[in-house]
Structures are given as C-alpha cells and as structure tokens.
Amino acid sequence: MTTAGAPRAGAAGRLLGPALLTGLLATGCGASGTAGAGGTPPTSPSPPPSTTSPEELCARIVAHWSREVLDSTTYGDYQSMGLSNGQYEILRTVVDAARAAKRSQGADAADELIDREAGEGCANRYRSGGPTEGPWQ
C-alpha cells in the first residue's frame, strides 16, 4: 500500500531504465578523433558533396526548358517551370534566338545556341552575386 504522493516500488524501476539507457548511449559517443573500438584509428569524414553554382543551375534549367518549348507556340508559366522572373526572361530570349537559328541553320545549330545563350544569359544575371530586386526576380 502507498501513501498519497509517494511512488510505488515499481515506479523507480520504470524511471531508472530509460535513464540508464540514455546514459549508456551517451557514453558510447566518444570525442571526435579518438580511436575506435579495439584501437582502430577513426575513419576520416567523407568529402562534402559538390555544389552547383547559381549560374550553372540557372543555365541548366533555362536550357532544359528552352528545348522543351522550342517547338511549341507558347512558353507556359514560369512558376510551373521552377524559374524566377529573370530566368524566364532569359528563356524567352534564348528560345526566340533558337527558333530563328533552327529555321535558318537547323536543329543542331539551335541546340548549340541554347547552351551558349543560356550560359551567357545566366552568367550575366549572376555576375554581381545574384538578383536583389526580390525573390521573384
């Protein structure tokens, strides 16, 4: 029988179990750079994943969507393409030039033009570190 407010004998065991488990898990986390189990040296961290610059990312997405809309009569919605307003302006310029090149020089010339113009347009756009007029720009 228990008195009001006093825990039963089994309650201490229920509280002690999680506390011990937490303590054991915490002691298993050694300091960085210490030897592993059995004296084995620690493994070196893996290199950070490579990142894509804003210019490269812009050029890739603009070139992709330029090829998608090259034979279409409309451009579609820039937001559904994942483009900013500024990237969409680059796309429109690239597609207009690619359509003219395709008519006069063929599909291969248009394809090369898309890569070149998307790269140049995006490099110009991000030359000073990125757009600053707002998140949609």
Side-chain angles (χ1 to χ4, degrees):
M1 194 163 176
T2 63
T3 59
R8 288 190 229 167
R14 285 194 307 268
L15 296 175
L16 186 59
L20 283 175
L21 180 60
T22 302
L24 288 172
L25 290 175
T27 59
C29 299
S32 177
T34 60
T40 59
T43 59
S44 62
S46 60
S50 63
T51 58
T52 304
S53 71
E55 296 89 355
E56 292 175 76
L57 186 59
C58 171
R60 286 182 191 176
I61 195 167
V62 167
H64 168 80
W65 284 110
S66 294
R67 288 182 177 91
E68 290 289 321
V69 300
L70 180 61
D71 296 320
S72 176
T73 58
T74 62
Y75 287 94
D77 177 44
Y78 72 95
Q79 291 174 330
S80 67
M81 295 177 185
L83 300 174
S84 69
N85 186 38
Q87 291 167 337
Y88 189 67
E89 292 299 321
I90 296 168
L91 174 124
R92 291 177 60 180
T93 302
V94 169
V95 171
D96 289 345
R99 284 180 178 157
K102 187 174 181 179
R103 279 191 302 271
S104 65
Q105 300 169 355
D108 289 340
D111 194 51
E112 290 175 17
L113 182 137
I114 286 172
D115 287 331
R116 184 177 62 251
E117 295 292 319
E120 288 175 10
C122 290
N124 288 336
R125 177 161 176 73
Y126 290 93
R127 179 167 286 137
S128 63
T132 59
E133 295 176 21
W136 58 89
Q137 300 292 323

